Amino acid sequence: MSELATATRETLAALAASDRGLRRFGARTHRYELAPPLPADQVAALPDDLRELASTVGAGGAGPYYGWLPLARVLDRPTTAPRGVSTWQRALPIAHLGCGYAAVLPLDGDARGEIWLDARSVGLVRPIAPSFTAFYLDWIDRLAHAAWPEGYVPDGVCPLPNALGGYLAHCEAELGVEPGRLSGPALRDALVRLGPGSIVIAAGASALFLDDDPVDPCIVCARLVDQLAADGLARDVIAPGVEPLPIRPEPADLS
């Protein structure tokens, strides 16, 4: 049995037991539960480490960020490389990293078997792990040490900080406060006024969502909300996102 399969079997139960309130990032989505394994012939074309895990332990569910996307739902829905990427042509969506960004696994070319960040909406498409095993074990190690997952995108490129910055600039203008100097009770009052679901993060150019689909926040945005919680920003200020790669009904034939 591979290192990944062994670690998965031994660790998920312990992680779930230490997070019964599902407070860790992404836990409310994957709930530390794995999808059933798939028959070996259905995953025969995958890289060795992912193929073994998917055919013996589980084929999706508990995993990095908002969970490992169920292979049964993504095997026939690969994404194509954006312009400028030549080391692979087709990649399998592996996980939603938040804000519409995806972790993808190239199926061909020199990058086959690696894990790449596909955040083409902000101009970032690059390798982030040498294999699915490395990607998964890094997630387990960070959870075991109470550490945040890697953010991968720079501060300030996501929609959320821009939306919050615009809102606070408006509040400063209303109060006659110098830009960037809103603080104390005035800052708390401004943040408290943002009710549940008042900010919607919309996907754009995503491998996982249609444009304008509401999506859950990435690590960078989730940490920003966590930091501002002490100043009055509610953690439910972001509207819930839709499921990645939704199965959408075909348009009705009105002819």
Side-chain angles (χ1 to χ4, degrees):
M1 183 175 294
S2 71
E3 177 188 11
L4 179 57
T6 301
T8 302
R9 289 184 184 278
E10 294 178 349
T11 305
L12 285 181
L15 290 174
S18 65
D19 185 26
R20 298 192 185 278
L22 303 177
R23 296 183 61 84
R24 293 190 184 109
F25 184 90
R28 291 188 182 277
T29 301
H30 60 69
R31 307 184 70 85
Y32 302 101
E33 298 171 354
L34 287 171
L38 291 175
D41 61 335
Q42 289 189 27
V43 294
L46 297 179
D48 292 346
D49 58 341
L50 181 55
R51 181 176 65 247
E52 179 182 351
L53 186 70
S55 61
T56 60
V57 180
Y65 299 85
Y66 288 102
W68 171 21
L69 295 173
L71 287 178
R73 188 149 53 87
V74 304
L75 282 173
D76 61 349
R77 303 177 75 176
T79 187
T80 55
R83 183 176 300 178
V85 172
S86 59
T87 52
W88 56 271
Q89 295 181 337
R90 298 166 65 252
L92 199 67
I94 290 295
H96 177 214
L97 306 180
C99 290
Y101 312 141
V104 302
L105 182 146
L107 298 171
D108 51 29
D110 293 340
R112 173 179 164 81
E114 298 175 353
I115 301 296
W116 281 54
L117 166 68
D118 187 337
R120 62 185 73 185
S121 63
V122 294
L124 290 173
V125 180
R126 62 179 179 83
I128 55 176
S131 65
F132 183 81
T133 295
F135 185 59
Y136 205 95
L137 291 179
D138 178 72
W139 170 70
I140 288 176
D141 182 68
R142 286 173 183 269
L143 290 194
H145 292 88
W148 283 87
E150 178 65 42
Y152 295 124
V153 298
D155 293 342
V157 303
C158 298
L160 177 62
N162 294 326
L164 278 173
Y167 168 71
L168 293 177
H170 173 75
C171 294
E172 288 168 342
E174 280 190 330
L175 296 171
V177 175
E178 185 179 343
R181 301 300 296 271
L182 192 67
S183 61
L187 174 61
R188 173 173 290 276
D189 179 68
L191 294 176
V192 167
R193 279 188 276 147
L194 290 171
S198 59
I199 294 179
V200 178
I201 301 174
S206 174
L208 300 175
F209 302 93
L210 297 180
D211 287 355
D212 297 325
D213 273 349
V215 294
D216 292 316
C218 70
I219 288 291
V220 173
C221 291
R223 294 189 72 168
L224 174 62
V225 172
D226 191 66
Q227 291 162 5
L228 289 174
D231 293 312
L233 185 65
R235 289 183 171 86
D236 61 359
V237 70
I238 303 173
V242 300
E243 184 180 16
L245 293 172
I247 305 300
R248 302 180 187 277
E250 292 295 327
D253 185 357
L254 301 178
S255 60

